[in-house]
Amino acid sequence: MKEIKIGLLGLGTVASGLVNAIADTKDLLAKRNNYSLSIAGIAVRYLNATRACEVDSSILTTDTFSVVNNPDVDIVLELIGGTTLAYDLVKKALENGKAVVSANKALIAAHGEELFQLAEQNNTAIFFEAAVAGGIPIIKALKESLAGNHVTSISGILNGTCNYILTQMQENDQSFDDALQGATDLGYAEADPSLDIDGDDTAQKTAILASLAYGTWFGTDAIDIKGIRGISLSDIQYAKESGYSIKLLGSYTLNEKGAVALSTECTLVREDSMLGNVKGAFNAVELEGDLLGPGMLYGQGAGQKPTASSVFADLIEAASQFCNDTLGQQQKMIFRDKAAFISQEEQSSPFYLRLMLEDCPAVFGKVALILGNYGISMDSVNQKSEASADGVKPVVIQTHEVSVEAMNQAVAEIQASEYVHEQVVLYPIKA
Ligand code: HSE
């Protein structure tokens, strides 16, 4: 039986979960496959740190490059994160002809195109199932299971931390800061949680999914990134009063002309819809293909075991390809020219709008006039009774479907009015 040797970069939470999973399934794996897995080297920051898994200390090293340059290593698992050292190491591993498994969404989103090419040139492959939506097999679904479809839309809850925070605020009236602390304590948040709450993490995952769905490479610079920082309990409650939950969605749309739109923003979804029922750190990817029709994948999007589950699946796939000598023979991920983007004029949606409006005669008429001037029709208007000290009251407006461009222009004009206080809140409503 062939022994496949793994080089591990990092021994943090996910890597420890993986080492434990490999040990637990050793016998089963050997029965199912014509190979066995062994760990040849592990790069760590500190040799004497306390570990959450059992490893032979003689294979630990602080010399990260010794792992990717080790001729005995067949597959490199990159689990250190970041886009600097991890980038150099992954590049080196691919140049050395090794298969790479990475859970690093920031790395793939920033350098995916180059790394795929490098893998191809060196007759090997890079696998990254764990980079998007934790344990949900969405990468494999897009690359393989849906390969015969034109994927026309993707709407994903892709960040467990944000979804946990929004759920805690909606269901338990918890403050934003307390909910973020909870997500951090449970191990969902990034080391720098601003990557979660400012939407960058969701944007990276959206860009990766969109790239696979379309077949060209989209960076996060193609996305106007809006996160959940500053979202108020009031908006969550107002949305709930009309049957909606607010979710941070990463979205991809392909129109009939072949142009695409990408976004990462808070969106109102029906509370009783499938996305509305995705709670806590769970993730979900709702998508539509021309052959499949609508579909959804759901599961745990963050945390040690779900992420280790995807890394392990990639490792098994890489090992099988290595054994069968088929690494580097998979279909191309990037095979189309750059896409055209759908203009804001051509994009449309109903919207939720919340203004802090002076409570005096005729001001509401002025807001209605501005909306009317942009051809925006209101579906409902609701002035909330709670007033701030200076008599300013929240007014919540839901519109019918309008163009994004018209809505943005109308909001800019409303925002500039002297009777509107604070920042106007504007969220699309998912149809
Ligand atoms: N911080 C990320 C999240 C981890 O909360 O979803 C998984 O990518």
Side-chain angles (χ1 to χ4, degrees):
M1 179 172 292
K2 190 164 180 59
E3 186 182 11
I4 296 186
K5 299 226 169 81
I6 304 162
L8 203 48
L9 303 173
L11 193 50
T13 311
V14 174
S16 304
L18 180 72
V19 169
N20 287 332
I22 292 173
D24 286 350
T25 49
K26 203 174 169 59
D27 295 342
L28 275 179
L29 267 183
K31 278 188 196 158
R32 264 173 97 178
N33 301 291
N34 50 350
Y35 59 80
S36 66
L37 297 171
S38 71
I39 303 177
I42 307 179
V44 292
R45 195 175 303 182
Y46 307 108
L47 289 176
N48 296 320
T50 310
R51 311 278 171 211
C53 58
E54 265 186 42
V55 284
D56 171 0
S57 59
S58 70
I59 60 169
L60 299 180
T61 175
T62 54
D63 178 1
T64 42
F65 280 89
S66 71
V67 174
V68 296
N69 287 326
N70 181 345
D72 288 341
V73 165
D74 304 308
I75 301 172
V76 169
L77 304 190
E78 183 277 300
L79 297 170
I80 55 175
T83 54
T84 49
L85 178 62
Y87 171 62
D88 293 336
L89 289 165
V90 167
K91 257 175 76 170
K92 193 71 192 156
L94 293 172
E95 281 161 6
N96 287 340
K98 301 184 190 305
V100 172
V101 174
S102 173
N104 189 337
K105 57 254 167 160
L107 177 72
I108 303 296
H111 300 291
E113 187 170 23
E114 178 195 352
L115 296 174
F116 297 164
Q117 275 170 8
L118 198 58
E120 217 175 300
Q121 283 157 13
N122 290 282
N123 205 28
T124 185
I126 176 161
F127 302 82
F128 49 95
E129 184 65 71
V132 181
I136 303 176
I138 183 63
I139 302 294
K140 203 173 179 71
L142 286 172
K143 270 170 57 183
E144 296 178 18
S145 319
L146 300 172
N149 279 256
H150 291 290
V151 176
T152 50
S153 74
I154 299 176
S155 292
I157 294 173
L158 301 172
N159 184 275
T161 300
C162 290
N163 205 51
Y164 177 87
I165 293 171
L166 293 172
T167 306
Q168 287 297 102
M169 290 176 80
Q170 178 171 333
E171 298 196 344
N172 302 320
D173 289 336
Q174 207 171 33
S175 72
F176 185 96
D177 289 343
D178 287 351
L180 173 58
Q181 189 57 53
T184 306
D185 293 345
L186 289 163
Y188 305 139
E190 298 298 300
D192 172 6
S194 61
L195 292 170
D196 296 298
I197 62 176
D198 289 330
D200 303 86
D201 179 270
T202 298
Q204 288 159 0
K205 294 165 176 169
T206 306
I208 296 171
L209 295 185
S211 301
L212 295 179
Y214 187 78
T216 195
W217 195 252
F218 299 106
T220 52
D221 52 359
I223 305 177
D224 178 18
I225 306 170
K226 296 176 193 148
I228 66 165
R229 191 193 287 272
I231 193 165
S232 76
L233 263 176
S234 304
D235 286 309
I236 288 175
Q237 288 312 326
Y238 300 153
K240 190 174 174 178
E241 283 163 19
S242 28
Y244 290 98
S245 298
I246 299 179
K247 297 290 184 190
L248 181 66
L249 296 188
S251 304
Y252 159 82
T253 310
L254 174 71
N255 73 9
E256 47 304 324
K257 294 182 207 154
V260 305
L262 304 178
S263 65
T264 292
E265 62 187 329
C266 284
T267 303
L268 270 68
V269 302
R270 295 280 333 160
E271 215 181 340
D272 56 5
S273 67
M274 290 204 291
L275 285 177
N277 274 297
V278 178
K279 307 276 174 76
F282 275 78
N283 281 194
V285 185
E286 194 176 78
L287 47 73
E288 185 142 0
D290 60 339
L291 302 176
L292 171 79
M296 186 166 117
L297 285 89
Y298 167 85
Q300 294 193 74
Q304 183 192 50
K305 288 189 175 177
T307 312
S309 164
S310 287
V311 174
F312 202 1
D314 277 350
L315 172 60
I316 291 169
E317 169 105 45
S320 304
Q321 291 187 13
F322 180 82
C323 273
N324 302 332
D325 215 12
T326 54
L327 269 173
Q329 290 177 26
Q330 51 277 64
Q331 54 178 356
K332 288 184 198 303
M333 287 186 262
I334 302 305
F335 53 89
R336 291 223 261 191
D337 292 338
K338 288 280 174 211
F341 288 97
I342 308 173
S343 70
Q344 287 205 338
E345 202 182 345
E346 287 176 291
Q347 293 175 49
S348 63
S349 167
F351 280 93
Y352 167 100
L353 194 63
R354 195 256 301 156
L355 330 166
M356 297 304 288
L357 204 56
E358 286 177 9
D359 189 12
C360 47
V363 288
F364 187 71
K366 292 177 186 169
V367 171
L369 190 63
I370 295 174
L371 291 173
N373 286 343
Y374 285 94
I376 298 168
S377 161
M378 289 178 284
D379 185 33
S380 67
V381 182
N382 198 343
Q383 178 167 290
K384 306 291 174 183
S385 51
E386 59 269 24
S388 63
D390 49 3
V392 172
K393 284 188 176 168
V395 172
V396 173
I397 299 171
Q398 288 180 23
T399 73
H400 289 292
E401 186 156 339
V402 296
S403 90
V404 173
E405 187 183 46
M407 194 72 239
N408 285 337
Q409 287 172 346
V411 166
E413 198 170 323
I414 290 168
Q415 185 74 70
S417 317
E418 72 281 2
Y419 44 84
V420 173
H421 294 226
E422 301 179 24
Q423 186 71 35
V424 174
V425 171
L426 178 70
Y427 298 136
I429 301 174
K430 190 166 163 50

